[in-house]
Amino acid sequence: NPIFFDHTYNPSLVASKLPTSTGPSVGYALADDFAKFMDYTLGNCQKQAELISKIFVFEDSISEYMSAILSAAKTREHLGIYLHTLATSVYSCMQFVDLIARNPYGVQVDVDVIQSGVRELIKPYTDKYIDQEMEYLSARYKAELEKWNNRNKDKKKKEQGNADYMDAEQAQAHKRYVHEHDEGHHLSLHLMHGNKESLGRALVISTTTDVTKIRPNVQRVFIALLKAIGEKHMKPAFAAAIEVMSKSGPVDADDNNKMVNMDSLQFFELVHIADLIQQMVDVYYNEDVKLWIDEQDFLSDIVVEKKIFERILDDSVAGGMDKAIQLLVNQCEYILLSHQQLTDYNPPENTLSDWKPTVACQKVVACLSSHAKLIGGVTEKNTVEVFFSEVGVRLFNVITKNIRRLQVSQTGAMQLICDMNRYYEWALTCRVTSITKLFSVLKELGNLFLADGSEELRKLVHDAPRFQGALRIEEIYELLQSRTDYHKIKKQVEAKECIIQ
């Protein structure tokens, strides 16, 4: 009978039919060969359905061929090929059972007996399946990540050894960096595709052998992806970016565009990539994983690990954000210290002014605007708003500190007001209500230096709504000490009635 005897599908000939070389194309051919064998067997069984209903020796007709196929896959190819072949074999066997049960001849077949035979047949191969799957995933992820890390290390060594690289234009340097992070994005996508393959195999085999293993097996497979992308890929990438920013300092350049700190810009590019990766993981989880787990079980491994994954990204972004904010604020402070002239707010007598913002002010605003433009091009709007909200708070303190180190005359107060108005205009472009409100206080500072006499100053100091709680009384008092005539009005200003207890 061709069901049991056919030289085309002789188990002893499986190895001899394959090419001498190995590799994915040859390895996957084993799975295809078994699927063809099952189609052939099914065709014969359907033709002889009545005989099959009376006599069905599943082990004799299929067992030997499956054993030969899996043995060839295990000895000739790597573990991934073997697992693919195993899953294909299991799926083909169950499809065979389903089609036999629905034979077009109306012949009754004891499906339970056949299914039991299938399970007994595949049991020796599936008992250790999930451990083998995790072993394969772990090795695959380790190899992919090591390859990625080694390639990046080689690039850095070449760059450090190339003096010309250090002098490269920022645009070119950033272009290379963006390309590297695009590759990092593709690496995560590749890891995800591999996980999806493993998940598919886990579902096929668990559904066939033991449905109670579906949830724990799905969890183990998906958690492996979370650990690979979170702990072993994104966390080290952020740590490296933060370390670079920690060593970075202000840039002295006449070109405003070159005042943009490339280290912080590259960090924001990484944030953008992390956002994309997290979105991809969420889509994969919602479409392929969530169906098989209990999201209400907050103590389950998968729920816990998913929260850990999200926390890794959130903490990494927060840590880097603080460094990037301080880098920009430090750059602005450096500009003020190096370009704000002592005479800007205390000009010589009879000096004519055009009432334009000072060079220092213009450079600070240009630096802020350049950062906003470049960061906005690689980062989500919400992230940009959070960034400049904190930049605004720290910059406000830097600007008031800058005023305290200078002397301001009544004539120079007009120049100071001009600068403060320009800073306020920049704050408006941030479109963050809290920063607009804060910088409106800067516009009021000029009045502290324009006011003529202690009585008017006393009213200003007492005018709490004017400063909106942004400046304490002590801080306003410190600013007053920058007046060039402070020594003349000191006694009146420091008189008991002028001090707020």
Side-chain angles (χ1 to χ4, degrees):
N1 192 299
I3 297 176
F4 306 107
F5 305 102
D6 190 309
H7 295 298
T8 306
Y9 293 101
N10 187 332
S12 64
L13 300 178
V14 168
S16 63
K17 289 193 293 182
L18 295 173
T20 55
S21 61
T22 60
S25 60
V26 178
Y28 288 128
L30 289 166
D32 293 340
D33 187 58
F34 187 77
K36 291 176 182 176
F37 165 70
M38 292 302 290
D39 287 341
Y40 170 80
T41 304
L42 176 64
N44 280 298
C45 286
Q46 286 181 330
K47 291 177 183 176
Q48 304 180 61
E50 189 173 352
L51 174 63
I52 294 300
S53 67
K54 297 176 182 178
I55 305 172
F56 186 82
V57 188
F58 188 86
E59 294 82 351
D60 290 344
S61 58
I62 297 174
S63 178
E64 286 187 42
Y65 204 79
M66 177 186 282
S67 297
I69 288 287
L70 292 176
S71 177
K74 200 167 188 178
T75 56
R76 287 171 49 93
E77 308 298 331
H78 61 73
L79 186 56
I81 295 295
Y82 168 76
L83 293 172
H84 171 76
T85 306
L86 175 61
T88 301
S89 300
V90 170
Y91 177 77
S92 296
C93 287
M94 295 314 295
Q95 189 180 45
F96 174 87
V97 172
D98 181 59
L99 292 172
I100 282 294
R102 295 185 291 105
N103 71 83
Y105 303 101
V107 177
Q108 295 297 316
V109 177
D110 193 334
V111 178
D112 291 338
V113 172
I114 300 178
Q115 286 181 337
S116 178
V118 170
R119 291 192 182 95
E120 285 301 314
L121 171 66
I122 63 178
K123 192 174 187 299
Y125 305 103
T126 57
D127 275 351
K128 297 180 180 179
Y129 157 70
I130 194 61
D131 291 330
Q132 292 173 318
E133 187 70 70
M134 299 315 298
E135 177 189 344
Y136 166 68
L137 262 185
S138 177
R140 178 175 179 176
Y141 286 169
K142 182 180 179 182
E144 292 284 351
L145 291 166
E146 285 182 351
K147 182 180 177 182
W148 160 258
N149 291 332
N150 291 335
R151 185 168 56 196
N152 281 347
K153 287 178 183 178
D154 290 341
K155 284 183 179 180
K156 289 178 182 178
K157 286 180 181 178
K158 290 178 181 179
E159 290 166 0
Q160 290 171 353
N162 184 356
D164 291 337
Y165 175 81
M166 303 306 293
D167 299 322
E169 289 295 324
Q170 286 187 345
Q172 291 300 318
H174 179 59
K175 187 176 180 181
R176 278 189 289 271
Y177 189 85
V178 170
H179 177 67
E180 289 174 11
H181 279 296
D182 280 344
E183 289 180 347
H185 172 240
H186 291 313
L187 169 64
S188 297
L189 193 59
H190 188 59
L191 297 178
M192 207 172 302
H193 285 160
N195 195 266
K196 201 166 186 176
E197 291 173 3
S198 293
L199 181 66
R201 290 193 289 264
L203 289 173
V204 166
I205 294 175
S206 301
T207 302
T208 302
T209 58
D210 185 354
V211 292
T212 65
K213 295 289 181 66
I214 293 177
R215 183 173 296 168
N217 288 351
V218 167
Q219 287 193 131
R220 290 184 67 180
V221 171
F222 186 68
I223 287 172
L225 175 69
L226 295 178
K227 288 182 177 293
I229 294 180
E231 292 180 9
K232 299 174 183 177
H233 181 42
M234 296 309 301
K235 187 176 181 179
F238 272 108
I242 292 172
E243 183 181 3
V244 169
M245 286 194 292
S246 298
K247 297 176 181 178
S248 186
V251 179
D252 186 11
D254 292 329
D255 185 343
N256 292 329
N257 290 323
K258 290 184 179 179
M259 286 188 187
V260 175
N261 191 292
M262 294 305 295
D263 296 328
S264 62
L265 178 60
Q266 290 164 357
F267 163 75
F268 279 102
E269 178 65 33
L270 182 57
V271 171
H272 177 60
I273 296 298
D275 284 341
L276 291 178
I277 290 173
Q278 186 163 9
Q279 289 172 25
M280 290 192 308
V281 170
D282 285 342
V283 169
Y284 173 40
Y285 172 80
N286 289 324
E287 291 184 354
D288 298 295
V289 179
K290 188 167 67 173
L291 174 67
W292 308 102
I293 62 133
D294 180 10
E295 286 192 296
Q296 302 307 313
D297 183 2
F298 298 112
L299 297 178
S300 69
D301 291 344
I302 196 167
V303 172
V304 171
E305 289 295 336
K306 193 167 185 293
K307 288 181 179 178
I308 290 174
F309 170 77
E310 292 165 353
R311 195 181 309 123
I312 285 174
L313 295 185
D314 290 344
D315 291 350
S316 296
V317 170
M321 186 81 77
D322 182 70
K323 294 289 184 186
I325 289 167
Q326 199 55 49
L327 272 178
L328 177 52
V329 173
N330 288 347
Q331 180 68 43
C332 292
E333 185 169 25
Y334 176 79
I335 294 171
L336 290 174
L337 289 171
S338 56
H339 292 279
Q340 193 86 74
Q341 303 300 314
L342 295 176
T343 55
D344 280 348
Y345 304 143
N346 185 22
E349 291 185 12
N350 302 320
T351 300
L352 295 176
S353 176
D354 56 8
W355 307 122
K356 292 181 179 179
T358 61
V359 171
C361 174
Q362 290 179 24
K363 281 186 171 293
V364 166
V365 172
C367 178
L368 292 166
S369 299
S370 295
H371 270 82
K373 181 179 179 182
L374 289 173
I375 292 172
V378 298
T379 314
E380 295 292 331
K381 181 182 177 183
N382 290 341
T383 304
V384 175
E385 288 183 359
V386 170
F387 177 75
F388 279 105
S389 292
E390 184 58 29
V391 166
V393 172
R394 298 187 196 183
L395 182 62
F396 177 88
N397 294 329
V398 165
I399 293 172
T400 54
K401 178 183 175 183
N402 182 58
I403 295 173
R404 288 198 300 271
R405 77 177 179 86
L406 299 169
Q407 289 288 290
V408 185
S409 65
Q410 282 189 307
T411 304
M414 295 300 296
Q415 183 63 65
L416 182 132
I417 290 173
C418 190
D419 279 5
M420 298 306 109
N421 286 340
R422 184 67 188 94
Y423 290 134
Y424 175 74
E425 290 172 4
W426 168 79
L428 289 174
T429 66
C430 294
R431 294 183 174 85
V432 179
T433 304
S434 60
I435 298 306
T436 302
K437 181 180 177 181
L438 182 62
F439 273 64
S440 68
V441 174
L442 288 180
K443 296 172 64 178
E444 301 295 337
L445 293 183
N447 293 315
L448 292 175
F449 303 97
L450 278 177
D452 191 8
S454 58
E455 183 64 28
E456 190 175 352
L457 279 175
R458 182 165 57 251
K459 291 180 180 178
L460 284 173
V461 171
H462 282 269
D463 191 357
R466 183 184 293 269
F467 300 105
Q468 303 180 49
L471 290 170
R472 302 192 308 273
I473 296 297
E474 295 84 354
E475 292 173 317
I476 297 173
Y477 180 73
E478 288 175 1
L479 286 166
L480 282 176
Q481 295 179 48
S482 290
R483 285 180 62 121
T484 53
D485 63 348
Y486 187 72
H487 64 285
K488 295 179 182 179
I489 62 173
K490 181 178 179 181
K491 289 184 179 180
Q492 291 89 340
V493 171
E494 293 181 355
K496 186 175 181 180
E497 65 268 22
C498 286
I499 298 175
I500 304 299
Q501 298 294 334

